[in-house]
Amino acid sequence: VVITPDIAKAAKGYGDIFGIPAPAVQNAEYELPNGKKEKAKVAYVPMPNFYIAVVQPTGKGPMRDHLKKFGLGIWALGVGKDSDIDAVRAELEARGGKWTGGRKGGDFAWVDLRHTPLGATIVVGPTARPAMPAAPTTHASLFGGLNISHIGFANTDAAASAKMIVDIFGMKPVEPRVFPPKGPFQYPPNMWT
């Protein structure tokens, strides 16, 4: 989930990069644990292997708070789960997460783990994709038709982050790599010139 202050501009930008028409913007409401709802505008960007939800918060709640504190950027990672949402949420809370979205017995939960080595909110929700156009099948634009190969986290303790990702997602542990690799590497370009 990407949070933006201007969904029309962001939707057009994602459409251009991924070779699709600008995704349709829809109004949405998300239940919060306190019984209130956070209003937002959302657009879905279809990818071959997953989708990106681009969200502009229009009401008060965790997404609005994130946008105010951090600005435009990635807010959450989504994990598909169709049952036992409360059990998954409780396990994430036991690992240091804060329950910020969804209701008890509901079909989704937001668990904020930004203050932990994971550094992101986890959205646990239905495995079915929301209604959206099909993803591009050919590489006709900069990234259209390509799979997303990885997501990177910038942090101050890569070993702790890797351990938490392994623990939560049940992945095989890997040693953090030294970055940048040997030789000159500039990210972003010209940042040290």
Side-chain angles (χ1 to χ4, degrees):
V1 178
V2 174
I3 300 292
T4 180
D6 185 344
I7 195 159
K9 184 177 179 181
K12 182 182 181 320
Y14 276 97
D16 290 347
I17 288 175
F18 291 109
I20 59 173
V25 176
Q26 309 166 33
N27 291 319
E29 286 187 339
Y30 301 98
E31 294 176 290
L32 303 177
N34 63 8
K36 295 182 180 182
K37 293 184 179 183
E38 182 170 11
K39 293 183 179 184
K41 293 180 180 181
V42 63
Y44 298 105
V45 180
M47 304 294 298
N49 55 335
F50 75 107
Y51 66 92
I52 301 168
V54 182
V55 179
Q56 178 184 339
T58 58
K60 294 181 179 179
M63 293 185 295
R64 164 76 62 180
D65 295 344
H66 182 89
L67 181 61
K68 282 183 176 179
K69 185 171 183 178
F70 301 105
L72 172 80
I74 295 174
W75 167 66
L77 304 173
V79 178
K81 183 92 168 101
D82 293 317
S83 62
D84 302 322
I85 303 297
D86 288 336
V88 174
R89 174 190 43 79
E91 178 65 26
L92 290 172
E93 287 181 285
R95 294 172 186 251
K98 179 182 177 192
W99 178 23
T100 60
R103 64 174 168 76
K104 197 169 196 170
D107 62 352
F108 78 94
W110 299 341
V111 183
D112 184 351
L113 292 153
R114 289 174 300 157
H115 58 283
T116 72
L118 185 67
T121 292
I122 299 286
V123 173
V124 183
T127 56
R129 283 185 175 214
M132 69 182 82
T137 57
T138 60
H139 187 166
S141 65
L142 184 59
F143 294 127
L146 299 178
N147 287 334
I148 297 293
S149 64
H150 67 281
I151 297 172
F153 291 92
N155 58 53
T156 58
D157 190 342
S161 290
K163 180 181 182 328
M164 190 160 198
I165 291 168
V166 165
D167 290 347
I168 288 176
F169 292 102
M171 303 162 68
K172 182 180 175 186
V174 295
E175 287 294 316
R177 290 183 272 170
V178 174
F179 193 82
K182 291 182 180 180
F185 180 88
Q186 295 185 351
Y187 179 83
N190 302 318
M191 72 179 287
W192 293 301
T193 58

